[in-house]
Amino acid sequence: IPYFAPVKNLHAFKGKVLHSHDYRDAEAYKGKVVVCFGGGQSGKDISQELCGVALKTILSHHNPSPLHQPPLVE
């Protein structure tokens, strides 16, 4: 079951809310402003992919660790 972290007033947001579990490809976000919540591997991967097509991509996270870590697999 995908977990959604509590986000204050998320119910009032009129746009699309999607869990990374349901993400398939970046083209659906072409020209849009996108906010990805979570600095885990999925959030970082999806944010990087969206940067190529979205008008603006924002990665929001609370983890103080650096985002530029070595790849998990080489």
Side-chain angles (χ1 to χ4, degrees):
I1 299 173
Y3 170 75
F4 280 89
V7 176
K8 187 177 180 179
N9 296 322
L10 182 62
H11 65 281
F13 179 67
K14 302 286 190 241
K16 184 175 186 176
V17 177
L18 182 79
H19 191 277
S20 62
H21 173 79
D22 299 311
Y23 174 81
R24 295 296 174 258
D25 110 23
E27 286 302 311
Y29 304 93
K30 188 173 188 170
K32 297 182 184 240
V33 176
V34 182
V35 178
C36 293
F37 289 97
Q41 201 62 47
S42 295
K44 289 188 268 186
D45 289 347
I46 292 170
S47 295
Q48 186 171 9
E49 188 173 312
L50 290 171
C51 282
V53 298
L55 177 64
K56 185 174 189 176
T57 303
I58 301 164
L59 175 60
S60 176
H61 64 95
H62 64 83
N63 188 349
S65 68
L67 293 177
H68 300 290
Q69 298 172 347
L72 298 175
V73 179
E74 292 193 32

